[in-house]
C-alpha cells in the first residue's frame, strides 16, 4: 500500500524531527492552515505510546500558539480525522468570523465568500471615486 | 454571557471529575459519539496548563480506546472546534465505512443513507419470502 503521508507530505516544512513534521499547507480560503504529520505509519492517536502521544500533542499546541501569536484568529480548530488517509496527522486551523464556513466546520458547505474581501475592496475603491 | 457548556452539557455522563466530563451524546447517525467537556470556561487547548492539558487529552484517548474496544470502528475522528460554543470540548467520533459521510468529515454533506440499514433489512426480509 502506498500512503501519501508516508511519502509526500505536502507543504512548507516549519519543523521536523525524527518523530513528526509540522507543515504550513496551502488550503484555499484558510490561510495559516498547518498540519502536524506523525512520521510512522500509525492510524490512531491511541496507538501511540504515552511519550510519543505527549510529543505529538505538544507540537500541536506549539503550532496552535504560533498561529494565534501571528494571526490572532477568532478560534482555533483542531482535528485528527484520517478517513481518507489513515496515517496520523492533525489539522490546526485558524478560523475567522468572516471565513467561508464560520461558525461551521471548514468541511461544511460554504456560507459566504471568504473573506468578503472582494466586496470590501470594491467598496473601498468606490469610495475613492 | 450564558454558555451552554458551562450550564447544560447534554448526554449520558460516563465519567466526571473536578476538571472534566465525558459524555455519550445522541447524534443521529453517529452512534457512540462521545464528548469530553472541560469544566472551566476556556476557549482553546493552548490556554490550559501543561498538567490540565495532559489530563484532558488523557481522557480523550481513554474515550477513544473505550469506543474502539466496544465498537471496532473503521476510524476514530477527534476534533476540538468550538466555533459555535467557544468552551473547550472534544468530539470523539467512531466512523464506519457505511456511515452517512464516510470518508468525509461528519460535517460534510451526506454521501448516502446511514448505514444502508433499511435496504439491507429489506433485502434480508425479501430473501425470506
Amino acid at each position: 500500500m502506498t500512503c501519501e503521508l508516508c511519502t509526500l507530505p505536502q507543504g512548507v516544512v516549519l519543523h521536523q524531527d525524527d518523530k513528526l513534521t509540522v507543515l504550513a499547507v496551502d488550503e484555499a480560503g484558510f490561510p495559516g492552515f498547518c498540519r502536524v504529520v506523525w512520521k510512522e505509519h500509525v492510524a490512531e492517536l491511541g496507538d501511540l505510546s504515552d511519550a510519543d502521544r505527549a510529543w505529538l500533542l505538544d507540537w500541536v499546541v506549539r503550532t496552535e500558539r504560533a498561529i494565534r501569536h501571528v494571526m490572532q484568529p477568532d478560534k482555533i480548530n483542531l482535528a485528527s480525522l484520517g478517513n481518507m488517509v489513515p496515517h496520523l496527522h492533525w489539522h490546526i486551523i485558524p478560523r475567522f468570523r468572516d471565513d467561508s464556513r464560520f461558525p461551521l466546520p471548514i468541511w461544511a458547505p460554504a456560507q459566504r465568500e471568504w473573506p468578503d474581501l472582494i466586496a470590501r475592496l470594491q467598496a473601498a475603491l468606490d469610495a475613492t471615486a
Side-chain angles (χ1 to χ4, degrees), chain A residues 2-32:
Chain A
T2 304
C3 166
E4 65 191 77
L5 286 180
C6 284
T7 53
L8 279 175
Q10 298 284 316
V12 176
V13 175
L14 301 177
H15 163 84
Q16 71 174 314
D17 56 41
D18 60 333
K19 295 287 191 180
L20 57 81
T21 309
V22 182
L23 298 162
V25 298
D26 186 20
E27 291 280 347
F30 296 99

Side-chain angles (χ1 to χ4, degrees), chain A residues 6 22-23 28 30 32 38 40 43-46 58 61 65 73 92 106 116-117:
Chain A
C6 284
V22 182
L23 298 162
F30 296 99
W38 192 247
E40 190 186 353
E44 304 287 4
L45 184 65
D58 188 52
V61 167
R65 288 177 176 153
I92 300 98
I106 68 163
D116 299 329
L117 182 60

Side-chain angles (χ1 to χ4, degrees), chain A residues 60-88:
Chain A
V60 169
V61 167
R62 287 186 202 213
T63 305
E64 174 196 306
R65 288 177 176 153
I67 292 170
R68 292 170 68 190
H69 178 71
V70 171
M71 303 184 75
Q72 292 89 46
D74 294 309
K75 191 71 192 65
I76 289 284
N77 287 178
L78 304 175
S80 178
L81 308 177
N83 305 320
M84 302 247 197
V85 183
H87 176 134
L88 187 57

Side-chain angles (χ1 to χ4, degrees), chain A residues 16 33 43 105 108 118:
Chain A
Q16 71 174 314
F33 194 134
I118 305 300

